[in-house]
Amino acid sequence: MRDEGGETMTKARAATTSWLGASTLILAATIAAPAAAQTAEDTPGAAEQTGAEDEQAEAITVTGRRAALQAADDRKRRSDSIINSVVADEAGKLPDNSITEVLQRVSGVSIVRFAALNDPDHFSVEGSGIQVRGLNGVASRLNGREIFSANGGRALVWGDVTPELMSAVDVYKSATADLIEGGTGGQIDLRTKLPFDYNRGWHFAGSAEASYGDLAKNADYAFSGLVSGRWETGIGDVGLLVDLATSRLTSLSNFFRAEPYFKKRLPGETEDVFIPGGFDFGDEEFQRDRSGIYVAAQWAPSNDLEFTGIFFQSRYTNLNQSHFSMVAQQDLAVERGNSRFDEDGGLLSTEAMFQRDPNTFLPTGGGIVSGGGVEGTRSGSLTRDISGQFEWRPGQGPLKLSGAYQNILSTSRADRLAIFREVPYPTSFGIDLTGTFPSVTVDTSGDRFTNPANYFWSAAMPHNERNRGTLDSANLDAEYTFDDDSFFRAVKAGARWSDRRERDFNNGYTWTALGRGWNGDPQLTFANAAPGDVDNYAFKDFFHGQIAVPAQMLWPTIDLVRNLDVDLLHRSPPAGFCPAGSEFNCSASGPLPDSTYGGPRARPNEFLPQDLGIWRTQTWAGYAQVRFGHDYVPGTIGVSGNIGGRIVRVKNESQGFIVQNGFSYIRDGQTVQLATRVDPRGGEAEFTRFLPAINVQLQPSETTKVRAAYNITTDLPTFNATRGGGDIGVATTANPVQGQPGIFTNFTASTGNPLLPPARADNFDLSFEWYVKPGTLFYLNGFYKRLKDLPIYSLTERAVTIYYQDGTSEDVLAAATDVITAPAAAEVKGVEVGGRAFLDMLPGALAGLGFEGNYTFIDSKNPGDLYRDIDGNIRNDAPLQGLSKHNFNATLLYERQRVSVRIAYSWRSRYLQSTNSNGTNPTYNFVSAPGAPPQAIQIALPVYGDAYGQVDTGVTVKATEELSLTLRATNVFNATQRTLMGGYRNDAIYTRSWFQSDRRVALGVNFAF
């Protein structure tokens, strides 16, 4: 159905009894918390009902989350640039269980709740990507130094990091010259604890948590522990800190997806309609284990000199499993009489969707083939940072020298196997897209979906990755501090060198048919399944009961994809297993002894030379910066700030292979065979940039600040965008003659560009901050960014050489999907407004009430990623990828005595995810009239993440000065995430997918002493 704005949140109906019990408990605790605090005060003997209670209120000791909020405000107030911070409480606990969840509530920050921004088909409960002020150019830092994940990108995969190891997270929105270059949107710095942060002696902190999701129905855990000591010895002050954390999260998400709405012409009509090419449904379960080790040692042999060594390691492993069913055919049609359409011709509902004959436009009467299957993935990543630094202030004088050396190792691996099966549907099915959720009606009578002989083993698709990235860097800085009465406060200069390398093996998604009768091995069915290879998987509580599963079916087992050797899967069944004449249906032969379903494997080895990609980035940078100003005193205006510049020289190198796979197709009525070729390709490029940075602060009063900033920031293109390798091939449409090769439509190419320059942003900021009192502040920020050399997806034509099996070659134009540099500059401007207030003036227990909220408005003007609409026209009117026009956070707080309550709502409006997403970029045939020649249309529709909001809540009770208990609930109202497809008539937008995931409740305990 057509989207009418797409920015509403659907409230869920009631859920399971267990969830109701947990939610009721949390809500009861939330409501009862103030009353409980008041009751304690009113207990006889606790305090006389006189002025003693008022004196208590005036002498409140601020601890827990409110103390952490005030610490974050203080860091923002004292900063030399525009930042926001989230600080851990005294137990060392951040308020959420992942870095993305922590950051989603920061003004100007939004998160992507998918496996990746450009992967709109896989939902992620904890989120993945992060945008700052609508931009993906977000630099990742650890204690001010570069950190990354080896995944073909430049930044950290935020979900891989253990949040329990962090003392704070800083979001830098304006740069200073001494910050490492990077971040057209901003920088996010993860700050860890250090032993010298604590007083001498021992310090202990820890936490334990158990959680439960209402769809996954699995109990999970999280543990962390910190030990820190600081001692005065004969060789100076010595400190050691050890922090360990481990957690498991099991999540289940359900999905329902509509295939692209293909353009059709109904009999006797002249106006086109748009009919989905089918539907998909299924679920996906993740079980991630995340662990972290952090060790910090500090030594101060004198008051002049201090050494710090850090070992940081975060390890992430994931087990994924999915069941999915697909009806995806381009020739589905409907009859006008039993169907409804919207004003733009998009199908709303129909009683019968069927296959039709393009020559007559009449139903073929044939069954509709349904694909699907199961997939299982084992993946893991490791990020390890080892660094050492020193600070030396000779004689405690004005000169300070500091330096550091850093080594990072990041690895990631993934092993995935999908096994596909086919089962015939009836000749038609009904679909209704008019409601909040879709509804599909399928005739399930008889043994159509229960008879194993109706299910055909279809194909297998393995995928493997082995990535390894390293970084070595060193920096040396000098700072001279002037006397207190000088307008110039300090001058600072420094230099940095880094060498980052990455080596990735990625074998793509090598879909290969199993035995199909026509490829040398017989067609086997589930009646031939070896013991344990098939089960009757049921989707329980699908979408919490809000969507009916179209049909319960049979599936390959998860154990099969988890434990199977791919070579065994493609091995031929025993000789003579299928008698002559049963090559296309061997059901009568019964079960196989082993999982040997035939079909030659597409590749002989897991990895081939062409799977290799190599990158290297060397950076040399130098900077100088002056800090200036005088403090505010009554009757004057305080003025301070910094001005400086950074010179950066970057050298990028990339190596890979251009692959042309052997392929048969029909062109001009003749069968043509492409040759298999692998040709090396690479390139290198150097860039030098000057990055000025100016930050000025005016302080008209003790509680107000006005900031203005101008700086230039850069982002290097991702390794994936600059890859030397790629592929060239052919696009075809299905041949109406069964078993014959596809019919040629055009040549294709997909490569990287090693010569892409860094993106550049000219940033202007103006900020007003009002620090009313501790814990209460308000701010208003305006910003403007002009971005040049943005990398965008381009759908264009490129000259390539095609090689044929007979030894001939041809120079042709291929439809290319390449990342290129945007031909025009983009502009992003917006406003952030927010604040926090505690109502301490209210009487009694109500004095603990507070509110925190922020809203960000972002407008953009940009050339945009190119896409092809449903008519095949190339358009560039898509917004910047990942940019939501509106972002909103609201949190109701209660902080009183030993009780802390938080009810938080985070919401973002629609944003572009991809213009090149799998499933929305095929070539389809349009037939204008019965018997008319088909017109091949290549499309690449933009896919958007729809507006999404989620409510989370939590209650913390401090049982003693050292011990607190926490009860949390996430996704309380069972939010539904949708994705949308654009590129249709009159800019109509249609729903692509619906996702729902767990509502989760967690009980935890924290201690610190």
Side-chain angles (χ1 to χ4, degrees), residues 26 153 200 273 276 404 435 441 467 512 547 560 589 662 757 781 792 834 928 959 983:
I26 284 213
R200 288 186 175 87
V273 296
T441 54
N467 302 337
T512 306
I547 295 180
L560 180 64
S589 296
N781 304 332
I792 64 170
S928 60

Side-chain angles (χ1 to χ4, degrees), residues 511-805:
W511 184 96
T512 306
L514 295 172
R516 301 292 278 173
W518 48 262
N519 62 347
D521 282 313
Q523 173 68 75
L524 302 172
T525 73
F526 278 13
N528 306 120
D533 283 0
V534 170
D535 67 1
N536 185 6
Y537 180 82
F539 293 95
K540 298 178 181 178
D541 199 22
F542 194 63
F543 275 80
H544 297 89
Q546 295 166 310
I547 295 180
V549 176
Q552 296 290 354
M553 293 184 281
L554 303 178
W555 310 81
T557 61
I558 291 297
D559 286 342
L560 180 64
V561 297
R562 284 262 185 260
N563 306 317
L564 183 65
D565 184 323
V566 179
D567 290 324
L568 176 66
L569 181 71
H570 284 283
R571 197 168 301 167
S572 301
F577 180 79
C578 296
S582 63
E583 292 84 359
F584 290 93
N585 191 325
C586 194
S587 298
S589 296
L592 286 161
D594 296 300
S595 308
T596 52
Y597 300 111
R601 190 177 177 188
R603 52 170 48 214
N605 297 303
E606 185 174 81
F607 291 108
L608 299 175
Q610 60 261 36
D611 300 329
L612 174 65
I614 297 176
W615 295 268
R616 184 181 185 185
T617 296
Q618 298 178 81
T619 305
W620 300 263
Y623 74 91
Q625 175 180 287
V626 175
R627 293 177 57 242
F628 58 87
H630 60 77
D631 294 333
Y632 163 81
V633 294
T636 68
I637 295 178
V639 178
S640 62
N642 58 80
I643 182 170
R646 189 176 188 93
I647 297 177
V648 182
R649 178 170 170 258
V650 176
K651 181 180 180 181
N652 285 331
E653 301 175 59
S654 176
Q655 300 176 40
F657 297 88
I658 296 293
V659 178
Q660 176 184 287
N661 290 313
F663 185 72
S664 295
Y665 57 94
I666 304 293
R667 184 183 184 190
D668 298 329
Q670 302 296 317
T671 300
V672 181
Q673 176 69 44
L674 289 186
T676 298
R677 287 183 63 92
V678 177
D679 298 305
R681 176 177 180 264
E684 63 179 52
E686 293 190 27
F687 309 94
T688 300
R689 298 289 187 266
F690 174 66
L691 310 176
I694 304 171
N695 293 271
V696 179
Q697 302 177 38
L698 300 179
Q699 189 169 359
S701 70
E702 185 70 34
T703 59
T704 58
K705 278 193 173 185
V706 178
R707 300 179 190 261
Y710 167 72
N711 54 76
I712 296 177
T713 53
T714 64
D715 276 322
L716 293 175
T718 66
F719 286 148
N720 186 56
T722 60
R723 69 191 186 279
D727 59 76
I728 56 178
V730 174
T732 63
T733 56
N735 195 317
V737 181
Q738 186 174 5
Q740 292 298 307
I743 298 173
F744 171 87
T745 58
N746 58 272
F747 294 103
T748 64
S750 178
T751 65
N753 182 359
L755 307 182
L756 286 176
R760 161 187 163 141
D762 288 77
N763 309 286
F764 300 85
D765 290 90
L766 184 63
S767 173
F768 172 76
E769 300 165 6
W770 181 23
Y771 299 88
V772 183
K773 62 180 180 179
T776 298
L777 84 159
F778 300 96
Y779 55 85
L780 176 66
N781 304 332
F783 58 89
Y784 171 83
K785 295 174 179 285
R786 180 175 174 83
L787 299 107
K788 298 180 181 179
D789 297 331
L790 277 176
I792 64 170
Y793 271 111
S794 171
L795 305 172
T796 184
E797 291 186 328
R798 188 160 62 80
V800 299
T801 301
I802 296 293
Y803 297 90
Y804 297 102
Q805 187 66 41

Side-chain angles (χ1 to χ4, degrees), residues 161 249 295 299 325 358 398 476 683 818 861 883 910:
V161 178
L249 177 70
V295 180
W299 173 39
S325 176
L476 185 64
D818 294 339
K861 178 182 178 182
L883 186 150
R910 188 173 72 203

Side-chain angles (χ1 to χ4, degrees), residues 85-374:
S85 294
V86 182
V87 177
D89 60 25
E90 69 263 32
K93 188 74 172 66
L94 289 168
D96 295 283
N97 274 355
S98 72
I99 296 298
T100 49
E101 288 175 338
V102 169
L103 289 168
Q104 71 174 325
R105 310 188 205 286
V106 173
S107 175
V109 178
S110 53
I111 71 171
V112 175
R113 292 188 180 273
F114 292 86
L117 177 60
N118 60 353
D119 183 6
D121 287 348
H122 295 88
F123 191 73
S124 175
V125 173
E126 293 183 310
S128 57
I130 291 173
Q131 290 87 46
V132 176
R133 292 178 167 176
L135 296 177
N136 299 313
V138 180
S140 49
R141 304 289 181 250
L142 178 68
N143 295 319
R145 291 188 286 271
E146 185 176 353
I147 192 169
F148 61 89
S149 299
N151 66 341
R154 293 282 183 178
L156 189 68
V157 177
W158 300 101
D160 293 359
V161 178
T162 308
E164 290 87 350
L165 304 184
M166 302 300 138
S167 65
V169 181
D170 294 331
V171 180
Y172 287 86
K173 297 177 180 177
S174 68
T176 55
D178 58 345
L179 285 177
I180 299 174
E181 63 280 351
T184 50
Q187 296 194 14
I188 294 176
D189 188 14
L190 309 178
R191 294 195 290 127
T192 57
K193 313 167 186 75
L194 292 172
F196 283 4
D197 293 341
Y198 302 97
N199 295 326
R200 288 186 175 87
W202 291 98
H203 178 82
F204 302 91
S207 65
E209 183 178 89
S211 62
Y212 183 83
D214 69 337
L215 281 179
K217 294 178 171 56
N218 198 78
D220 296 311
Y221 60 83
F223 300 100
S224 68
L226 177 147
V227 179
S228 181
R230 179 178 178 181
W231 311 274
E232 185 176 358
T233 71
I235 59 171
D237 268 13
V238 175
L240 180 66
L241 184 150
V242 178
D243 199 354
L244 306 175
T246 184
S247 65
R248 168 172 289 182
L249 177 70
T250 308
S251 64
L252 182 68
S253 62
N254 299 142
F255 69 86
F256 191 100
R257 182 161 45 246
E259 290 294 310
Y261 284 53
F262 295 114
K263 183 170 68 171
K264 299 287 183 181
R265 190 71 59 82
L266 298 183
E269 299 187 5
T270 57
E271 289 292 325
D272 300 328
V273 296
F274 303 94
I275 299 172
F279 64 92
D280 317 327
F281 69 91
D283 62 13
E284 194 160 16
E285 181 177 310
F286 294 88
Q287 185 175 84
R288 67 106 173 116
D289 289 289
R290 191 168 55 202
S291 61
I293 302 173
Y294 173 70
V295 180
Q298 289 185 285
W299 173 39
S302 68
N303 292 332
D304 305 341
L305 184 62
E306 181 178 297
F307 296 95
T308 301
I310 288 176
F311 175 90
F312 172 89
Q313 178 175 292
S314 190
R315 186 184 296 271
Y316 181 101
T317 60
N318 178 61
L319 287 177
N320 159 266
Q321 61 188 49
S322 175
H323 294 77
F324 56 95
S325 176
M326 304 179 297
V327 174
Q329 296 184 213
Q330 297 179 2
D331 55 354
L332 295 176
V334 300
E335 293 180 352
R336 171 69 71 175
N338 60 13
S339 304
R340 294 174 54 200
F341 296 86
D342 67 15
E343 61 185 8
D344 295 308
L347 182 71
L348 293 173
S349 66
T350 182
E351 295 178 8
M353 187 176 289
F354 53 84
Q355 293 184 95
R356 75 174 183 184
D357 186 333
N359 294 313
T360 64
F361 278 15
L362 297 176
T364 64
I368 298 172
V369 176
S370 165
V374 298

Side-chain angles (χ1 to χ4, degrees), residues 21-84:
S23 297
T24 303
L25 181 59
I26 284 213
L27 292 174
T30 303
I31 295 169
Q38 183 66 47
T39 301
E41 291 179 359
D42 291 344
T43 301
E48 297 295 328
Q49 300 302 310
T50 62
E53 186 172 331
D54 294 334
E55 293 174 7
Q56 262 190 331
E58 293 175 3
I60 291 174
T61 302
V62 178
T63 61
R65 179 47 43 190
R66 183 165 178 177
L69 293 171
Q70 292 182 195
D73 295 348
D74 188 53
R75 181 164 178 80
K76 177 180 178 69
R77 186 175 188 172
R78 292 184 290 105
S79 173
D80 288 336
S81 61
I82 300 172
I83 74 167
N84 290 94

